Amino acid sequence: MGDSTPADQYLDAAIGLLQRVRAEEAESVAAAGSLLADTVASGGRLFAFGAGHSSLAAQDVVYRAGGLALMNLLVVPGVVGVDVMPATLGSALERVDGLAAAVLDSSPLRAGDALVIISLSGRNALPVEMALGARALGVRVIGVTSVAYATETSSRHSSGTYLKDHCDVVLDSKIAVGDAELTHDSVPAPFAPASTVVTSALLQAVMATAAVALADRGIEPPLLRSGNVDGGHDWNSRILEQYGARIFYRH
């Protein structure tokens, strides 16, 4: 790449992926935004789930200034980040059959709700079972995944299927298998993952779509404001009060 630095190369790779997502996933983003707007308008609740580093994109849309107040995190103990000890346990839990069913049974999810499931590979038991179980409850599912994994890896679920096979809308992050954008002659492994950048951008594009879709229907989108701007706390108190029955991260 000539004289470009590793930082340049990484940012160029991320920009390239974002441009691909913008060009190729526009219809899916619009459909996902409409699905969330439909859910809000009909009194449903919104949830997001991701395991391991995929949880970062889920957390990015929960209790977020500029975001929809109704987006709740669906928590699976031990897989919502890298704080579980040892960190490798989180990866192992994603492969455990039956864990998703236990989580759904004890969650507030019900028919008419919407669940965003984020899984880069989409191949592990947890996200596949989560999508299957949620849809069986009458929950609509948006899957955010790299579709390439379904053609280049084997499923770890007994059905042989992937997250993408059990969704109402699929958002393809276009991330290459292995999630490492750069190589270098003197570096023994590929490096520089871009999945968090791209997945978070995809989901924020969906949230923006949903907010405007609600406004277009004459419904004020339940947005949170920064507590660091004047009037932000009062605004948020009103929103949290108004929609308290559909918000699960406060109690």
Side-chain angles (χ1 to χ4, degrees):
M1 297 190 184
D3 295 326
S4 64
T5 67
D8 291 336
Q9 293 165 24
Y10 175 76
L11 292 169
D12 286 343
I15 290 165
L17 284 162
L18 290 171
Q19 288 174 328
R20 274 193 70 194
V21 161
R22 181 182 181 181
E24 298 171 22
E25 295 301 295
E27 283 187 28
S28 295
V29 168
S34 293
L35 190 159
L36 294 185
D38 290 344
T39 304
V40 171
S42 61
R45 295 89 58 83
L46 309 180
F47 296 85
F49 166 75
H53 288 94
S54 291
S55 72
L56 295 173
Q59 293 176 60
D60 191 51
V61 293
V62 175
Y63 187 55
R64 186 69 196 257
L68 291 174
L70 300 194
M71 184 59 76
N72 300 278
L73 190 67
L74 183 64
V75 176
V76 178
V79 304
V80 183
V82 293
D83 55 343
V84 60
M85 293 297 287
T88 49
L89 178 60
S91 301
L93 288 172
E94 286 187 70
R95 305 178 193 182
V96 173
D97 292 331
L99 180 56
V103 168
L104 288 171
D105 284 347
S106 59
S107 80
L109 273 163
R110 66 187 186 197
D113 292 346
L115 172 62
V116 178
I117 301 177
I118 306 155
S119 173
L120 180 61
S121 73
R123 67 190 293 228
N124 288 309
L126 183 55
V128 175
E129 285 184 1
M130 186 80 74
L132 274 165
R135 291 182 95 187
L137 288 173
V139 173
R140 303 193 59 199
V141 174
I142 297 168
V144 190
T145 187
S146 170
V147 172
Y149 276 83
T151 57
E152 299 178 39
T153 68
S154 57
S155 170
R156 290 184 177 136
H157 186 250
S158 55
S159 66
T161 61
Y162 297 79
L163 170 60
K164 72 172 184 64
D165 300 316
H166 307 288
C167 300
D168 295 277
V169 180
V170 175
L171 300 172
D172 182 5
S173 63
K174 317 292 183 183
I175 299 294
V177 173
D179 190 20
E181 291 300 319
L182 301 184
T183 57
H184 190 278
D185 290 345
S186 59
V187 178
F191 56 101
S195 60
T196 305
V197 173
V198 177
T199 302
S200 292
L202 258 174
L203 277 179
Q204 292 296 356
V206 169
M207 296 300 148
T209 303
V212 175
L214 284 166
D216 286 345
R217 302 178 197 192
I219 300 169
E220 181 194 339
L223 296 168
L224 293 171
R225 302 189 74 154
S226 171
N228 298 314
V229 300
D230 290 344
H233 284 298
D234 290 341
W235 172 282
N236 291 342
S237 294
R238 175 179 68 85
I239 294 291
L240 295 172
E241 177 81 16
Q242 184 177 347
Y243 291 95
R246 296 153 79 180
I247 292 171
F248 299 91
Y249 49 78
R250 301 182 71 210
H251 45 70

